[in-house]
Amino acid sequence: MNEIYLGHQRYGIEAAARLYFNKSARNLSLSDAAIIAGIIKSPEKLSPKKYPERAKAKRDDALKKAYEEGFVSEEDYQKAFKEKIVVSDDFQKSCQLAQHAADDVKFRLKSEDEFKNLKLLFDDEGKNDAWFGFRAVTTLDSNLQALGQEAVNS
């Protein structure tokens, strides 16, 4: 499950849970989990931040299937179905800042022989969830990057 791409440069359930909901996967509500399950097929087109109505439709499909297959009770199904989708406020910051730098780091790590076959997992608390549970440290100054981006956008 840590190798499934779930949008916005995130792989795995834990990384998606932290990105979209700012919580560990073990603390997701049934509704939150159904959103993540629902976006697997096309995470960029079903992002709950960019396309909340699409994500809600897929969440509802996932909930209905789970109920019909007997994985959730009718009470839990109804509760999750009525739950409003709330995406973390930190989402924008984590997706937009220096995406080119993050892409470059991932490309370099994927191409290095010593990293190619590693199966990096999350620790028990879900930390180090930047990429397959691996945290890459760079010299990028996020404050300066944000100021530069703001200047370019204005």
Side-chain angles (χ1 to χ4, degrees):
M1 297 303 270
N2 278 339
E3 295 182 16
I4 298 172
Y5 180 68
L6 290 165
H8 308 285
Q9 309 301 318
R10 298 304 193 278
Y11 293 81
I13 304 299
E14 187 66 33
R18 290 188 180 275
L19 172 70
Y20 295 122
F21 307 109
N22 197 28
K23 57 178 106 169
S24 175
R26 70 176 58 139
N27 296 322
L28 290 175
S29 68
L30 177 58
S31 175
D32 296 341
I35 288 170
I36 292 174
I39 68 172
I40 289 173
K41 192 170 187 179
S42 185
E44 297 298 342
K45 292 180 181 176
L46 300 170
S47 165
K49 180 62 177 183
K50 291 168 125 182
Y51 308 105
E53 291 306 313
R54 292 179 191 174
K56 182 184 181 309
K58 286 297 184 179
R59 178 206 65 180
D60 294 349
D61 290 346
L63 288 170
K64 183 178 179 186
K65 184 76 169 168
Y67 170 67
E68 290 173 349
E69 297 291 327
F71 292 108
V72 297
S73 69
E74 183 173 0
E75 180 182 344
D76 290 341
Y77 166 71
Q78 292 295 333
K79 180 182 172 193
F81 189 82
K82 293 174 185 171
E83 193 174 312
K84 183 178 177 187
I85 297 173
V86 179
V87 178
S88 169
D89 291 337
D90 293 335
F91 178 92
Q92 207 57 18
K93 289 185 246 172
S94 63
C95 287
Q96 302 298 326
L97 191 61
Q99 193 59 57
H100 63 284
D103 291 342
D104 183 60
V105 169
K106 284 193 290 187
F107 173 78
R108 290 172 189 268
L109 287 175
K110 279 182 167 180
S111 63
E112 292 293 324
D113 286 338
E114 63 263 27
F115 290 107
K116 277 185 180 174
N117 295 316
L118 284 179
K119 298 289 184 193
L120 301 168
L121 303 174
F122 299 101
D123 64 21
D124 288 339
E125 296 185 20
K127 293 185 180 171
N128 300 329
D129 62 327
W131 185 61
F132 281 79
F134 189 74
R135 178 164 292 170
V137 179
T138 69
T139 58
L140 185 71
D141 184 325
S142 60
N143 292 325
L144 289 176
Q145 184 67 32
L147 288 172
Q149 189 66 46
E150 186 177 317
V152 168
N153 290 340
S154 52

